[in-house]
Amino acid sequence: MKKICMYLLMTMLLCLTACKGAKDKELSEPSENTADTNENQQEESQETEALTPAEPESQSQAEEAFELTDQGKAFLEQMCRTLNDFDSQTEKDKAFYRDFLFYSYTGVPEGMETEQIYREDLQIEETVVKVPEQEAEAYAKLVFGTELPEEAKPALEEMEEGQTACYYEDGFYYIGVSDFPDVQYTFTDYEESDNTITVRYSIQYEDESDAGIVSFTLEPAENENGFIITSKAAEFTN
């Protein structure tokens, strides 16, 4: 009987020890629910970070400041001499583009060759610049940012008698050669306002060092100059 009691006592002690060990293990290890909760919180945190937009770049980093280069200044100096005054209200019709092409090429731009054509109305040989249509179109796009319209092709028959040559034929513009008056243009300054740039050149003519001002309005563009011209105005002091 004593042995049986001892056996029962030892069995109870072993059971109590096993229960205590299981309880300690339960307290020391996180439950499956706790692990799942932590994992869900981690995933939600990652999703929140993914949905949070990145901080935008500062305006100074996102936008590049306009720069009027020496090439741009030289181009505008040429435009002082060859481009007629115009603004947003000016109708860019056949006459406008005829004058634009004539004054752009009549002074024989550097690198262009001339040739002789026979003028039946004058019965003489006239010196002209022969400009490929593609070149004229590219030049117009550089200045205005737009293509030459189809009507910007004056026919030989449309020329007035005795007029300096300016006509289109078989893929070429024929522009008669002439000289410009001895007028000088000097860059003065430029200023930016919103999305436009105003550039000014002073006019020197004969003995007058300040004969007037030529003002251009420009818009930034992705071309070799960095801009297109949206208006030009010449104001003379006398």
Side-chain angles (χ1 to χ4, degrees):
M1 186 68 180
K2 184 178 179 181
K3 288 183 178 181
I4 294 173
C5 290
M6 289 292 294
Y7 176 77
L8 291 174
L9 181 62
M10 290 180 65
T11 302
M12 289 176 63
L13 288 173
L14 288 173
C15 288
L16 288 173
T17 303
C19 290
K20 185 177 183 300
K23 185 66 174 178
D24 291 343
K25 182 177 181 182
E26 182 180 347
L27 291 174
S28 62
E29 295 181 1
S31 66
E32 291 183 4
N33 291 339
T34 303
D36 291 343
T37 301
N38 291 339
E39 186 176 351
N40 290 339
Q41 289 177 346
Q42 212 169 19
E43 289 178 356
E44 288 177 2
S45 176
Q46 291 175 350
E47 289 177 0
T48 303
E49 289 179 3
L51 292 173
T52 303
E55 294 184 5
E57 295 183 2
S58 64
Q59 189 171 359
S60 59
Q61 292 176 332
E63 296 180 3
E64 295 184 2
F66 174 79
E67 180 184 1
L68 184 61
T69 64
D70 290 340
Q71 175 179 320
K73 291 177 183 178
F75 185 82
L76 289 174
E77 181 181 345
Q78 178 184 343
M79 292 294 99
C80 287
R81 184 172 289 104
T82 62
L83 184 59
N84 280 353
D85 289 6
F86 77 101
D87 57 26
S88 59
Q89 304 302 314
T90 303
E91 182 182 359
K92 292 187 176 68
D93 55 10
K94 180 183 289 189
F96 176 87
Y97 284 108
R98 180 193 61 210
D99 290 343
F100 164 70
L101 291 169
F102 177 78
Y103 289 113
S104 294
Y105 293 101
T106 189
V108 190
E110 184 178 353
M112 296 203 72
E113 298 181 357
T114 61
E115 60 181 67
Q116 302 294 117
I117 61 168
Y118 182 74
R119 289 284 300 272
E120 292 185 0
D121 56 336
L122 299 176
Q123 295 186 352
I124 62 170
E125 294 281 339
E126 183 180 14
T127 303
V128 299
V129 180
K130 187 178 179 181
V131 185
E133 179 181 353
Q134 295 84 352
E135 180 176 332
E137 289 178 344
Y139 189 69
K141 190 166 186 178
L142 179 64
V143 176
F144 304 115
T146 57
E147 304 285 349
L148 277 175
E150 186 63 28
E151 63 267 20
K153 296 179 178 179
L156 177 61
E157 296 77 17
E158 297 175 347
M159 285 177 46
E160 297 179 6
E161 186 175 349
Q163 174 189 333
T164 303
C166 182
Y167 63 92
Y168 174 87
E169 187 175 79
D170 298 332
F172 291 90
Y173 288 92
Y174 293 84
I175 311 294
V177 173
S178 55
D179 295 325
F180 287 104
D182 187 19
V183 182
Q184 302 300 315
Y185 302 91
T186 304
F187 170 75
T188 302
D189 59 20
Y190 83 92
E191 58 183 338
E192 298 181 55
S193 177
D194 296 330
N195 195 43
T196 63
I197 303 98
T198 301
V199 185
R200 287 175 281 267
Y201 283 74
S202 61
I203 304 172
Q204 295 87 43
Y205 179 65
E206 295 182 345
D207 295 332
E208 297 185 49
S209 59
D210 190 13
I213 292 290
V214 176
S215 299
F216 294 97
T217 302
L218 313 178
E219 287 185 3
E222 294 183 359
N223 58 31
E224 61 188 78
N225 289 326
F227 60 80
I228 58 171
I229 303 174
T230 58
S231 76
K232 176 203 169 186
E235 299 180 5
F236 295 90
T237 54
N238 294 322

